[in-house]
């Protein structure tokens, strides 16, 4: 993926601008920034859901065939009257090739089974979606993305509110996709998530920084993006103070406030 002087927004309103970057195949990229900074807008542009307002964006430059993308949103509450099982939900991802009433091929069935196994939900394939925990529902959505067989996986805040098991499974998916030569771009409010990726894009209505975590996650860059939302300790460690996105895991450790050295 390649962007040059990219500006994105809706109608006549620019949400994020001055994006200039190259994302190689097989890379994981974290997009961080305060609320309203353009993280989700950038993902939507990569998915082809919105067109650039200015500059250029190439997805899959140099590829010999069209590049496919899959975008995974955050899980939400599910209507309890909706009779959809885990298996049926993941099968939906194959509808573009089978049609709504089409027969699934061996390839389709294998893609669905593999996706479910990769997120660790094999024992819950017959369970109704509304019976799952929030973390399990999020894994179903990730499985939908995987079942599409896309070369680029886009995850919009995939770790928010996840239990430890679901979080680990999702990180495993990110790593395995990169090992396959695919690229993964995820938005997050957690510096720990960003630090585990190959590259980090920091936005605040514009591109603040882009590069490896060791070059980007420092007090100067974070202060430029988050302003008063950062806290500096006496030893120089910087934390993000973002109460709207803090959440806890089974170990009781809050996420969303991970520190980085200056």
């Amino acid at each position: 993926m390649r962007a040059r002087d990219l500006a994105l927004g809706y109608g006549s309103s620019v949400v994020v601008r001055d994006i200039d970057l190259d994302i190689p195949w097989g890379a994981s990229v974290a997009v961080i920034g305060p609320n309203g900074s353009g993280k989700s807008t950038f993902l939507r542009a990569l998915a082809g859901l919105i067109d650039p307002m200015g500059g250029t964006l190439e997805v899959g430059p140099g590829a010999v065939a069209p590049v496919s993308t899959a975008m995974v949103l955050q899980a939400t509450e599910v209507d309890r009257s909706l009779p959809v099982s885990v298996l049926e939900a993941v099968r939906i991802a194959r509808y573009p090739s089978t049609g709504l009433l089409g027969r699934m091929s061996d390839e389709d069935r294998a893609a669905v089974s593999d996706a479910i196994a990769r997120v660790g939900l094999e024992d819950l394939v017959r369970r109704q979606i509304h019976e799952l925990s929030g973390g399990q529902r999020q894994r179903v959505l990730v499985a939908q993305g995987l079942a599409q067989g896309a070369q680029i996986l886009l995850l919009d805040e995939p770790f928010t509110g996840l239990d430890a098991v679901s979080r680990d499974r999702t990180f495993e998916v990110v790593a395995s996709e990169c090992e396959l030569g695919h690229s993964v771009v995820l938005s997050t409010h957690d510096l720990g998530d960003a630090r585990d990726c190959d590259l980090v894009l920091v936005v605040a209505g514009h591109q603040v920084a882009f590069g490896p975590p060791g070059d980007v996650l420092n007090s100067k860059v974070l202060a430029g993006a988050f302003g008063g939302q950062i806290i500096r300790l006496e030893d120089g460690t910087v934390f993000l103070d973002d109460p709207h996105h803090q959440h806890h895991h089974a170990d009781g450790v809050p996420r969303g406030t991970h520190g980085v050295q200056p």
Side-chain angles (χ1 to χ4, degrees):
M1 292 161 276
R2 177 181 300 139
R4 295 290 181 268
D5 298 320
L6 181 65
L8 302 169
Y10 306 94
S12 59
S13 301
V14 176
V15 175
V16 61
R17 56 181 170 77
D18 301 332
I19 298 180
D20 200 315
L21 51 76
D22 289 273
I23 299 173
W25 286 114
S28 58
V29 184
V31 185
I32 67 172
N35 290 336
S37 61
K39 300 185 299 297
S40 295
T41 300
F42 179 61
L43 293 186
R44 288 174 61 83
L46 293 180
L49 299 177
I50 60 173
D51 295 323
M53 298 180 68
T56 60
L57 174 63
E58 296 178 85
V59 179
V64 296
V67 172
S68 57
T69 62
M71 186 169 181
V72 178
L73 304 177
Q74 289 186 57
T76 58
E77 291 299 320
V78 177
D79 187 343
R80 297 185 66 85
S81 65
L82 187 65
V84 178
S85 69
V86 169
L87 180 60
E88 291 165 335
V90 180
R91 280 179 172 173
I92 291 172
R94 303 300 296 183
Y95 284 177
S97 62
T98 68
L100 184 60
L101 301 176
R103 255 182 117 96
M104 295 193 75
S105 66
D106 290 342
E107 180 182 354
D108 292 322
R109 283 189 286 271
V112 170
S113 296
D114 178 67
I116 291 173
R118 288 176 66 186
V119 300
L121 294 177
E122 308 99 306
D123 296 336
L124 301 177
V125 290
R126 302 298 176 186
R127 188 76 61 85
Q128 296 292 300
I129 293 294
H130 67 77
E131 297 175 336
L132 303 181
S133 68
Q136 290 168 336
R137 285 199 300 272
Q138 184 66 45
R139 280 191 271 164
V140 171
L141 296 184
V142 173
Q144 281 185 333
L146 294 175
Q148 294 178 49
Q151 297 149 289
I152 298 173
L153 184 62
L154 309 172
L155 305 173
D156 195 5
E157 297 197 29
F159 305 115
T160 300
L162 291 193
D163 57 273
V165 173
S166 295
R167 184 182 185 81
D168 290 344
R169 280 287 187 172
T170 305
F171 263 120
E172 289 172 6
V173 165
V174 172
S176 63
E177 282 295 287
C178 292
E179 289 174 359
L180 291 171
H182 300 165
S183 296
V184 180
V185 183
L186 61 92
S187 62
T188 181
H189 283 259
D190 194 304
L191 297 182
D193 297 340
R195 200 163 40 228
D196 289 334
C197 290
D198 299 317
L199 296 165
V200 178
L201 170 64
V202 184
V203 292
H206 65 283
Q207 179 173 311
V208 178
F210 175 74
D215 297 339
V216 171
L217 296 179
N218 58 64
S219 59
K220 181 178 180 180
V221 170
L222 295 177
F226 291 91
Q229 288 180 292
I230 69 168
I231 300 172
R232 290 186 179 86
L233 303 184
E234 291 183 0
D235 65 358
T237 301
V238 175
F239 284 83
L240 294 185
D241 181 22
D242 191 355
H244 297 292
H245 286 82
Q246 286 188 23
H247 46 277
H248 293 73
H249 290 269
D251 57 8
V253 178
R255 304 290 292 185
T257 56
H258 277 72
V260 295
Q261 294 295 328

